[in-house]
Amino acid sequence: MGHDTIVDGMVKDGLWDVYNDFGMGVCAELCADQHSIMREEQDSYAIRSFERGIAAQNNGLFSWEIVPVKVSGGRGKPSIVVDKDESLAKFDAAKLRKLRPSFKDAGSVTAGNASVISDGAAALVLVSREKALKLGLQVIAKIRGYADAAQALELFPTAPALAIPKSILNAGLQTSQIDYYEINEAFSVVVLANQKQLDLNPEKVNVHGGTVSLGIFPQSSMLLAICMLKLLFMVLKHKNGKFGVGGICNGGGGASALVVELMPAARVGCSKL
């Protein structure tokens, strides 16, 4: 007998600002207010993310990176093979625009223009040039530069705008040389605000969808970073690009960015890109 409390571990450990004692969605609302990004713009971005993700999936662009997983049907039912992201099939633009704000009255951030919560696993092999040559590995891409940046915790949505230019500088490149960008879609407003601050062409950002449509893993920034890099590799190959930048914010006010260079097709081999 007696009362007890159930704590949502995902929210407590991955989606909560412990210093300000509010959810990350409140930070997204603050970002929208600071950068004058309205609800309609966020919804339109989310719809575009889904449309881009669906188009990429229909064209088989994700198949190279997905390992099919057999899931038991239980109680004598046949097993199901999961070989594609399921969130895309649930997309309904009309319903998305009708959703209520999730974090404050009359707010602009909703479940529809925030990232889809999903589960999964990802792997990426990272080796030195010497080890790759020694083992005869087929190299997909190489790291040209990286950087970290941070600001106040509640301002985490725009931290990538600080890290991305530093990573390009560290790579010895100019912004004009970057072909495509992947910026974590924790919320639609995150990408919109960073695009605005960095003056990026929307046609070069998250061109095959992002975590709003494909899903996010709140408990693992490393897992999310790997998935973003795989998206970036695929985009560079499919769009005949050479240099790409991936930027990801975190709930502690910081962000990390990585510049990659796609290797020539002759050296990609069994990666199936």
Side-chain angles (χ1 to χ4, degrees):
M1 295 180 66
H3 299 293
D4 205 345
T5 302
I6 297 178
V7 176
D8 187 323
M10 182 177 69
V11 173
K12 179 178 174 60
D13 295 336
L15 298 171
W16 200 259
D17 183 335
V18 296
Y19 294 96
N20 293 298
D21 197 28
F22 52 52
M24 296 302 167
V26 177
C27 301
E29 288 284 5
L30 178 61
C31 180
D33 291 342
Q34 289 179 333
H35 297 278
S36 301
I37 300 173
M38 301 296 104
R39 161 75 185 266
E40 182 178 359
E41 190 176 357
Q42 295 174 58
D43 283 351
S44 294
Y45 179 88
I47 290 169
R48 185 173 63 189
S49 179
F50 273 100
E51 290 174 344
R52 287 176 169 181
I54 291 169
Q57 187 179 75
N58 289 342
N59 287 322
L61 299 182
F62 297 138
S63 59
W64 75 275
E65 66 175 23
I66 296 178
V67 177
V69 176
K70 183 180 289 188
V71 180
S72 173
R75 296 188 178 183
K77 296 181 180 180
S79 297
I80 300 171
V81 176
V82 179
D83 59 1
K84 62 183 179 181
D85 289 305
E86 300 165 297
S87 58
L88 295 173
K90 302 174 183 179
F91 172 59
D92 187 319
K95 287 184 178 180
L96 187 150
R97 291 193 182 276
K98 294 178 181 178
L99 293 172
R100 295 179 179 179
S102 299
F103 301 100
K104 76 173 188 178
D105 294 338
S108 60
V109 180
T110 72
N113 61 42
S115 55
V116 172
I117 301 295
S118 58
D119 56 10
L124 183 72
V125 178
L126 179 65
V127 297
S128 67
R129 179 179 183 276
E130 292 74 16
K131 181 62 71 172
L133 290 173
K134 181 179 180 180
L135 299 178
L137 300 178
Q138 302 291 335
V139 179
I140 296 175
K142 68 177 179 180
I143 297 172
R144 285 292 301 261
Y146 57 90
D148 293 304
Q151 53 188 353
L153 275 75
E154 65 272 16
L155 302 181
F156 82 85
T158 53
L162 302 177
I164 287 173
K166 290 182 179 180
S167 69
I168 296 173
L169 181 64
N170 290 341
L173 300 173
Q174 301 292 323
T175 301
S176 59
Q177 294 176 272
I178 304 303
D179 297 301
Y180 293 97
Y181 294 82
E182 288 292 328
I183 300 176
N184 176 33
E185 294 175 356
F187 303 91
S188 293
V189 72
V190 168
V191 182
L192 291 169
N194 283 281
Q195 279 184 172
K196 197 175 191 179
Q197 288 196 303
L198 296 173
D199 193 26
L200 301 180
N201 180 351
E203 296 305 312
K204 290 189 173 185
V205 181
N206 297 4
V207 298
H208 289 325
T211 49
V212 162
S213 55
L214 302 175
I216 193 172
F217 314 97
Q219 303 298 76
S220 177
S221 59
M222 180 60 71
L223 180 57
L224 177 57
I226 290 173
C227 291
M228 285 182 60
L229 284 175
K230 291 193 298 176
L231 262 179
L232 187 58
F233 298 154
M234 182 259 290
V235 170
L236 289 172
K237 180 63 180 178
H238 183 245
K239 298 288 187 179
N240 296 314
K242 183 177 183 179
F243 297 113
V245 178
I248 178 173
C249 55
N250 64 54
S256 299
L258 190 72
V259 180
V260 297
E261 178 183 355
L262 192 71
M263 292 290 94
R267 296 175 62 185
V268 171
C270 64
S271 67
K272 298 182 181 179
L273 271 170

